[in-house]
Amino acid sequence: MILVTGAAGQLGRATVEFLLNKVPAAEIAVLARDAEKAAGLKALGVDVRIGDYSDYGSLTKAFSGIDKLLLISGNDVANRGPQQLNAVRAAKESGVKHIIYTSVDNTKPAGSVIAFVEDSHLETVKAIKESGLRWTMLNNNLYADVIPVFIGDKVLEQGIFFPAGTGRVPFATRRDMAEAAANVLSSEGHEGKEYAIAGDAQVGFADVAASLSKLSGKDIRYHAPDAKTYAETLAAAGVPPEFTGFTSAFAGAIAAGEFETTKNDLPQLLGRKPESVENFLKAAYGLN
Ligand code: NAP
């Protein structure tokens, strides 16, 4: 029996959908916090188990009878360190045999510009490796899906204003990452492997601007302000400082080359080329 956590979320839900093409629904369980959010999966015949990474008892109950567990990192970044350690401990106590964890691929794991995101991944990976359980790490690079979150929906009119310098990222779509996770869950031979999950091209924001120009027929420019100008400009436009702090930190990590790696196991896991960023942008900005 396979269990996917975070299944009411975007990566988890897509992973389960891919998994249903490979494994009978009766062999798939999911962990969700809210039964209503997982009702669609229940309707597909998946066993919905309710639990929260913060509630240890709910996890031991939910993980009982599970052989393979896909632990999807939580989105409560400030609290997910201890939450995920709970999940690892509960997996061990419940007799889970193999944990697959969605970590991150960062060229500078210690001393990262985004240590507030990295550190909980590092702690979780360490706990999994020390747990004695079989493990596989899916070291996800950045989703292409975060590009519109970073640069906004007015880029076709206003251009790109984002402090990522000349940093480049091998973005891959969340959908391709979900398909790769489903392929790992439904096949053997992945124990002790750390997969770099990334697209096959290094893409900077000047490249994003060039793609959007080509797709839209407009002249879309990339402007990389310094972090202070970026924060002041967004504040003046009424963007909440928490959001700007988050996007600015990621821009800093991108500028520092923290995601710039050529390691990439995604084509092998998919058995095909990953979707390109340009193709993703076409759909994301309705430029078909
Ligand atoms: P998402 O849509 O926000 O889904 C996150 C899932 O985690 C949700 O289903 C959420 O449950 C679940 N979760 C959060 N806290 C939990 C808790 N205490 N107990 C149980 N479940 C909990 O994010 P996503 O797009 O699927 O991405 C999956 C993860 O990848 C994120 O959580 C984040 O760690 C990471 N991420 C990576 C990138 C990247 O570019 N590589 C970008 C964004 C996020 P509910 O449905 O109940 O809220």
Side-chain angles (χ1 to χ4, degrees), residues 230-239:
Y230 175 73
E232 287 169 358
T233 309
L234 268 65
V239 178

Side-chain angles (χ1 to χ4, degrees), residues 51-231:
D52 188 307
Y53 296 155
S54 298
D55 176 355
Y56 186 74
S58 73
L59 297 177
T60 48
K61 203 163 152 231
F63 295 166
S64 102
I66 299 302
D67 302 301
K68 282 187 191 172
L69 169 70
L70 174 63
L71 176 60
I72 292 193
S73 55
N75 54 7
D76 177 5
V77 174
N79 297 305
R80 73 176 174 193
Q83 289 176 344
Q84 293 173 178
L85 296 187
N86 259 350
V88 176
R89 214 157 43 88
K92 172 98 179 166
E93 189 183 322
S94 315
V96 167
K97 296 185 179 67
H98 185 169
I99 298 194
I100 294 105
Y101 175 62
T102 61
S103 187
V104 66
D105 205 3
N106 190 305
T107 59
K108 209 174 160 210
S112 164
V113 175
I114 47 165
F116 67 98
V117 173
E118 292 294 318
D119 289 354
S120 45
H121 280 303
L122 292 175
E123 271 174 39
T124 307
V125 166
K126 183 167 180 283
I128 291 172
K129 288 184 177 174
E130 290 174 358
S131 69
L133 301 178
R134 287 181 222 143
W135 56 262
T136 305
M137 302 301 164
L138 301 176
N139 294 339
N140 288 345
N141 210 296
L142 290 185
Y143 300 160
D145 311 60
V146 297
I147 298 173
V149 178
F150 289 160
I151 66 178
D153 54 7
K154 299 202 174 64
V155 284
L156 299 181
E157 297 80 41
Q158 299 177 354
I160 301 175
F161 185 77
F162 190 57
T166 54
R168 295 183 310 159
V169 180
F171 293 104
T173 65
R174 178 163 40 215
R175 233 184 128 62
D176 276 352
M177 294 192 190
E179 186 174 344
N183 290 349
V184 167
L185 285 167
S186 57
S187 60
E188 299 305 322
H190 304 290
E191 292 88 353
K193 301 254 174 79
E194 300 206 36
Y195 292 118
I197 309 290
D200 52 10
Q202 304 287 334
V203 175
F205 283 84
D207 301 313
V208 172
S211 287
L212 289 172
S213 298
K214 184 177 136 194
L215 292 166
S216 66
K218 296 181 177 178
D219 181 18
I220 293 161
R221 304 277 171 95
Y222 169 47
H223 180 61
D226 59 59
K228 186 165 173 283
T229 307
Y230 175 73

